[in-house]
Amino acid sequence: ISIGDGTDIAMEASDMTLMNNNLWNILTLLDLSKTIIHRIYLNFVFSLGFNVFFIPIAAGILYPSIKLKLPPEVASICMAASSLSVLT
């Protein structure tokens, strides 16, 4: 973490640069990074569960027992929803 008033080399070498001299912004930075990591984990778990549930249905695993089959159009919509869940 570097401060915006520091040297250009320090700002280039750091992962994050504070734009002002207020060091209390480091707490905001850490809180923001913790929130982002939590969101990434949540999206990963949701996407994994979504795919574990819908891919076997799209493959036709329920067709022999209860005659439930997912048309290709609905399967593609489910895959798009899975991708959107990761992005949002």
Side-chain angles (χ1 to χ4, degrees), residues 13-32:
S14 68
D15 290 328
M16 297 176 198
T17 302
L18 296 176
M19 297 308 291
N20 55 17
N21 291 332
N22 189 359
L23 293 178
W24 288 105
N25 288 338
I26 293 175
L27 297 175
T28 305
L29 177 74
L30 294 175
D31 186 48
L32 179 63

Side-chain angles (χ1 to χ4, degrees), residues 41-52 81-82 84-86:
Y41 288 147
L42 183 67
N43 286 344
F44 176 72
V45 168
F46 180 75
S47 176
L48 183 68
F50 192 85
N51 287 330
V52 164
S82 172
L84 285 176
S85 72
V86 172

